[in-house]
Amino acid sequence: MAEVKLTQKDRMAVCWRHQFLQGSWNYERMQNGGWCYAMIPAIKKLYSSKEEQSAALKRHLEFYNTHPYVSAPIIGVTLALEEERANGAPVEDTAIQGVKVGMMGPLAGVGDPVFWFTVRPILGALGASMAMGGNIIGPILFFVLWNVIRMAFLWYTQEFGYNVGSEIAKDLSGGLLGKVTEIASILGMFIIGSLVQRWVSISFTPVVSTVTQAEGAYIDWANLPAGAEGIKSALEQYSALGPTGLNVEKVTTLQGNLDQLIPGFVAVLLTLLCCRLLKKNVSPIVIILCLFAVGIIGRFFNFM
Amino acid sequence: MGGISIVLVIIVAFLAGMEGILDEFQFHQPLVACTLIGIVTGHPTEGIILGGSLQMIALGWANVGAAVAPDAALASVASAIIMVKGLGPGTDVQTAISTSIALAVPLSVAGLFLTMLCRTIAIPMVHFMDAAAEKGNFRGVELWQILAICLQGVRIAIPAAMLCMVPADAVTSMLQAMPEWLAGGMAVGGGMVAAVGYAMVINMMATAEVWPFFVLGFVLACIGDLTLIALGAIGVSLALIYVGLKEVAKQGGGSGGGSGDPLGDILNDY
């Protein structure tokens, strides 16, 4: 009997379909339908009799759930195992299911922090900061970069899984995955720190003090030279005195005082409060609604 | 909104709904969904700005473990439709954006209920797949998978169509009738809400070991000259240096009787 082999075209078909893994996500067996859907091109190629095809379909409708991207190396390994089996190697059903279950847990633990909590926040923040100025490059950059990274990852890790086969379990236990997760969480925390500083905005409006400044500490608007000469003189004084030079009275707000400690100080406190509340199992949705309420109350009583 | 615009909005909503579950192409992310709705309704710039603002809030929204985040797909689509409706003569763009975000967030809670509904309806669907597999019927398995994906698209497309039916006058007059403290307060709230998404990310990744990197990121971000790309470069470098040094420290501890001096160990080996 001639050996059946999965060609690159077959593997690409599987890779394409694998993108729809979560489509039939259900509370019973989670991603099983999408997994089976992705395996169909390979099953068609490897098995010719109706009984074998039916058995293979049923085998791949078992419970499955992991992160949708790191699932790619798992499906690669499974392709290799199915290929061996179709060529007569004694690969049991339980071995295939065992590889799937054994890999999905640890890999999901890498996929979530790397993709959802590091790469997406970084690319999203990059695109969003451009988009907030109305720049179309922002959304395009996010969309293109994300999909290039994602597709490259899906294809190359699937190929890696297919080539390494069941040996992959050894590679996984090596330190590489741990290292990737560690780098991702360091980078993620660093970027989240800067995002909190830049994009969580709280500003308190109460005025702490109003001081009438000494002569010379403000621009004497009434006695400026006429015409362009006056503008020049005002600008010169402004650059020497800073923003407090614009008015006779120097107004200090609560926010100004807080910003002197470090800009964004209250934003960090708010973020840490949210962390605590989330840890106490308060739903993020409840916190979000409360923050809107606080904002409205704050504006109504004029302290925010 | 003209007939063609409404059809295109519903198509975008359908894509966003599909992606809300697939999470591959990211059509459900505000940056993409709001921009697309802005383009098909003739308000591209406002759509992009809305997308950027909402994206900043939704950066950390992902369902992991017990924490369930608001539904980004419905929040993006609903806020974009409300904003487009509210953009009439005499409405300030910034107000329209911040109020539509505030209105869309409660709606995205309703989206969670729809998600749960779809995931339950999918159970009988996979049972139909089982039946098809029993007969070795490839077409049957494929058909149910595709129907399940479409169901997720419809999940967002129907609410979007319903929002499109609300007359624009009603939205505009509602926005204009809103007192300053309400509109302003929603904007203030919107500024704070981003903290929740960031807190979700922190809770996922924080260990005593990585907190110092949070502090570094926070303090360095005060320097306005550093763009996000620059900050990213600093972050990557710090991570590589840290992990690299840790590796070296571990090797030093393991060999040479734990002298703690890797260079010395190498020299001793000669």
Side-chain angles (χ1 to χ4, degrees):
Chain A
M1 194 177 101
E3 207 173 289
V4 261
K5 272 282 186 195
L6 291 170
T7 61
Q8 182 167 0
K9 203 168 143 248
D10 299 327
R11 300 198 301 272
M12 276 184 159
V14 171
C15 188
W16 172 257
R17 282 169 171 240
H18 185 250
Q19 295 181 98
F20 304 99
L21 179 70
Q22 308 212 83
S24 57
W25 204 102
N26 61 90
Y27 287 117
E28 193 184 282
R29 276 170 282 163
M30 304 196 175
Q31 298 165 341
N32 69 329
W35 174 272
C36 183
Y37 175 77
M39 285 297 291
I40 283 179
I43 297 173
K44 270 187 185 164
K45 179 72 171 269
L46 293 173
Y47 302 102
S48 45
S49 81
K50 209 74 185 163
E51 292 74 43
E52 282 176 320
Q53 289 180 347
S54 167
L57 284 175
K58 282 196 275 180
R59 181 159 68 237
H60 291 293
L61 275 169
E62 294 292 334
F63 174 89
Y64 183 71
N65 191 37
T66 188
H67 183 284
Y69 300 176
V70 296
S71 174
I74 308 183
I75 209 162
V77 175
T78 312
L79 288 176
L81 289 176
E82 281 290 351
E83 195 178 70
E84 284 175 35
R85 181 187 166 115
N87 289 316
V91 179
E92 299 292 325
D93 289 7
T94 48
I96 292 177
Q97 186 63 11
V99 165
K100 279 162 65 180
V101 174
M103 288 174 76
M104 69 191 191
L107 281 173
V110 182
D112 288 331
V114 171
F115 286 102
W116 296 164
F117 294 123
T118 305
V119 181
R120 192 157 74 189
I122 290 173
L123 290 183
L126 185 64
S129 59
M130 295 169 94
M132 284 162 94
N135 188 348
I136 184 90
I137 303 294
I140 294 176
L141 191 73
F142 170 75
F143 186 74
V144 171
L145 277 182
W146 179 269
N147 281 295
V148 166
I149 293 173
R150 177 182 67 86
M151 286 182 176
F153 181 86
L154 286 180
W155 172 247
Y156 287 107
T157 55
Q158 183 188 310
E159 283 294 282
F160 176 73
Y162 174 75
N163 291 326
V164 180
S166 45
E167 298 286 305
I168 202 172
K170 282 178 213 150
D171 286 37
L172 284 184
S173 53
L176 183 66
L177 276 187
K179 234 190 240 176
V180 168
T181 316
E182 191 170 13
I183 291 178
S185 54
I186 289 174
L187 179 59
M189 284 297 273
F190 182 84
I191 291 294
I192 287 296
S194 31
L195 289 177
V196 167
Q197 203 281 334
R198 295 247 168 121
W199 299 108
V200 177
S201 68
I202 311 181
S203 156
F204 294 102
T205 47
V207 172
V208 178
S209 68
T210 308
V211 184
T212 309
Q213 301 187 86
E215 210 166 303
Y218 57 90
I219 303 171
D220 192 358
W221 295 99
N223 296 321
L224 286 173
E229 199 54 35
I231 300 173
K232 180 170 175 252
S233 158
L235 288 175
E236 275 169 1
Q237 291 186 51
Y238 179 77
S239 68
L241 299 171
T244 55
L246 288 175
N247 294 303
V248 180
E249 285 172 340
K250 181 180 167 193
V251 177
T252 310
T253 60
L254 179 56
Q255 192 60 40
N257 279 347
L258 290 169
D259 281 346
Q260 278 189 344
L261 292 175
I262 182 166
F265 183 62
V266 192
V268 170
L269 291 184
L270 177 71
T271 310
L272 295 180
L273 175 71
C274 290
C275 284
R276 282 205 69 121
L277 290 173
L278 287 171
K279 278 219 173 101
K280 292 199 169 145
N281 284 327
V282 181
S283 156
I285 292 148
V286 173
I287 306 177
I288 289 173
L289 294 180
C290 287
L291 285 176
F292 274 116
V294 169
I296 291 167
I297 295 168
R299 181 52 71 93
F300 187 75
F301 291 103
N302 248 327
F303 64 85
M304 285 176 108
Chain B
M1 242 190 270
I4 300 170
S5 288
I6 293 183
V7 172
L8 291 173
V9 167
I10 293 174
I11 292 174
V12 174
F14 187 84
L15 279 177
M18 273 172 54
E19 271 301 308
I21 186 80
L22 296 177
D23 230 333
E24 300 272 346
F25 296 92
Q26 309 297 309
F27 285 115
H28 65 304
Q29 291 290 309
L31 205 47
V32 182
C34 297
T35 302
L36 288 177
I37 290 182
I39 289 172
V40 300
T41 54
H43 297 285
T45 314
E46 293 88 344
I48 296 166
I49 298 172
L50 171 71
S53 317
L54 191 55
Q55 186 74 49
M56 277 298 175
I57 295 176
L59 278 183
W61 290 2
N63 292 329
V64 170
V68 182
D71 181 7
L74 192 57
S76 321
V77 170
S79 65
I81 296 174
I82 295 171
M83 182 201 68
V84 168
K85 296 249 163 183
L87 281 176
T91 357
D92 173 40
V93 175
Q94 208 53 48
T95 317
I97 289 176
S98 59
T99 39
S100 61
I101 290 178
L103 290 173
V105 170
L107 273 178
S108 65
V109 181
L112 289 177
F113 171 73
L114 293 175
T115 303
M116 270 152 54
L117 189 70
C118 287
R119 290 179 172 196
T120 313
I121 298 176
I123 298 177
M125 289 182 145
V126 295
H127 283 272
F128 288 123
M129 287 190 194
D130 288 340
E134 193 69 47
K135 297 192 206 101
N137 176 0
F138 290 114
R139 281 256 152 259
V141 176
E142 287 168 351
L143 179 72
W144 285 108
Q145 175 73 12
I146 291 164
L147 283 177
I149 297 172
C150 292
L151 177 72
Q152 296 281 355
V154 169
R155 169 177 70 98
I156 304 296
I158 289 178
M162 280 159 60
L163 275 176
C164 285
M165 295 305 143
V166 178
D169 302 352
V171 181
T172 330
S173 55
M174 188 197 73
L175 285 182
Q176 279 165 358
M178 229 188 262
E180 197 284 330
W181 56 266
L182 187 59
M186 283 178 161
V188 172
M192 296 191 289
V193 159
V196 180
Y198 301 155
M200 291 171 77
V201 179
I202 293 172
N203 273 0
M204 175 76 198
M205 302 203 286
T207 55
E209 206 181 350
V210 295
W211 271 113
F213 295 99
F214 175 85
V215 177
L216 281 175
F218 176 76
V219 174
L220 285 173
C222 298
I223 306 170
D225 288 343
L226 292 176
T227 61
L228 269 175
I229 296 177
L231 286 166
I234 297 174
V236 171
S237 313
L238 283 175
L240 289 175
I241 292 170
Y242 180 78
V243 172
L245 284 177
K246 208 166 121 176
E247 195 70 10
V248 171
K250 223 185 275 168
Q251 281 164 5
S255 65
S259 67
D261 178 6
L263 189 61
D265 290 338
I266 293 166
L267 291 175
N268 286 343
D269 284 343
Y270 274 99

